[in-house]
């Protein structure tokens, strides 16, 4: 899939969620909660002020609108960039790894992967991302309170 059109879809999302002209009463930009948002924003964002984030979002929205206008009149601004698709395992996780005894005198084990029957097409590095995520979640088991 081409990446350029996906990038241009950010402008409406910025207008709806970050820079609304008339924020809803549950929005952090609504006057009734704006003070709290400004007070707590630096605490959650390494000391950065809310006004700096809103300025950056406004500049990004304007730039995306300029790019979109140029693309609409036939002046390509965003270079063609495609996400390479390759054959992928699809469900690659730590639980699909097996150790096999190769029967040598050194007692070396060979790493094997099972579950290739679901081979499919996917973005490059899907298997690596899935495996690393699986390892992270398996290595760090956090207690969850139920009840």
């Amino acid at each position: 899939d081409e990446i350029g059109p996906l990038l241009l879809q950010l402008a409406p999302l910025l207008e709806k969620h970050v820079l609304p002209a008339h924020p809803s009463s549950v929005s952090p930009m609504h006057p009734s909660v704006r003070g709290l948002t400004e007070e707590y924003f630096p605490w959650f964002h390494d000391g950065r002020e809310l006004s700096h984030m809103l300025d950056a979002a406004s500049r990004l929205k304007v730039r995306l609108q300029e790019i979109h206008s140029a693309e609409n009149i036939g002046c390509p601004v965003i270079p063609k960039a495609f996400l390479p698709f390759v054959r992928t395992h699809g469900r690659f996780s730590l639980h699909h790894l097996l150790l096999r005894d190769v029967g040598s005198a050194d007692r070396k084990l060979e790493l094997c992967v099972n579950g290739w029957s679901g081979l499919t097409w996917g973005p490059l590095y899907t298997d690596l991302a899935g495996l690393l995520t699986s390892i992270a979640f398996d290595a760090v088991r956090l207690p969850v309170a139920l009840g």
Side-chain angles (χ1 to χ4, degrees):
D1 290 325
E2 195 172 337
I3 297 171
L6 298 174
L7 179 64
L8 295 176
Q9 291 176 8
L10 285 176
L13 294 173
L14 285 170
E15 289 174 356
K16 181 178 179 183
H17 299 291
V18 180
L19 305 167
H22 304 288
S24 71
S25 60
V26 296
S27 167
M29 299 303 126
H30 189 271
S32 66
V33 292
R34 175 80 183 239
L36 286 174
T37 303
E38 289 175 343
E39 181 181 339
Y40 286 103
F41 188 87
W43 193 72
F44 287 104
H45 297 92
D46 297 325
R48 285 177 265 163
E49 297 293 324
L50 178 65
S51 59
H52 294 270
M53 188 276 300
L54 292 174
D55 290 342
S58 295
R59 289 191 307 272
L60 176 61
K61 183 187 95 170
V62 168
R63 184 66 182 126
L64 288 171
Q65 288 171 335
E66 291 170 355
I67 291 170
H68 194 279
S69 296
E71 294 278 338
N72 283 342
I73 61 171
C75 300
V77 177
I78 300 175
K80 297 284 184 200
F82 294 92
L83 183 62
F85 271 64
V86 296
R87 299 294 281 177
T88 178
H89 186 279
R91 302 172 316 277
F92 197 39
S93 69
L94 190 60
H95 302 289
H96 286 97
L97 296 177
L98 299 172
L99 291 175
R100 180 175 68 178
D101 185 1
V102 294
S104 68
D106 298 341
R107 298 295 295 169
K108 291 185 179 178
L109 299 173
E110 187 175 82
L111 186 63
C112 301
V113 178
N114 70 351
W116 286 102
S117 62
L119 195 63
T120 185
W121 289 98
L124 187 62
Y125 302 120
T126 298
D127 288 336
L128 178 61
L131 178 63
L132 293 176
T133 302
S134 171
I135 290 170
F137 284 129
D138 229 67
V140 181
R141 294 191 182 248
L142 299 175
V144 177
L146 300 174

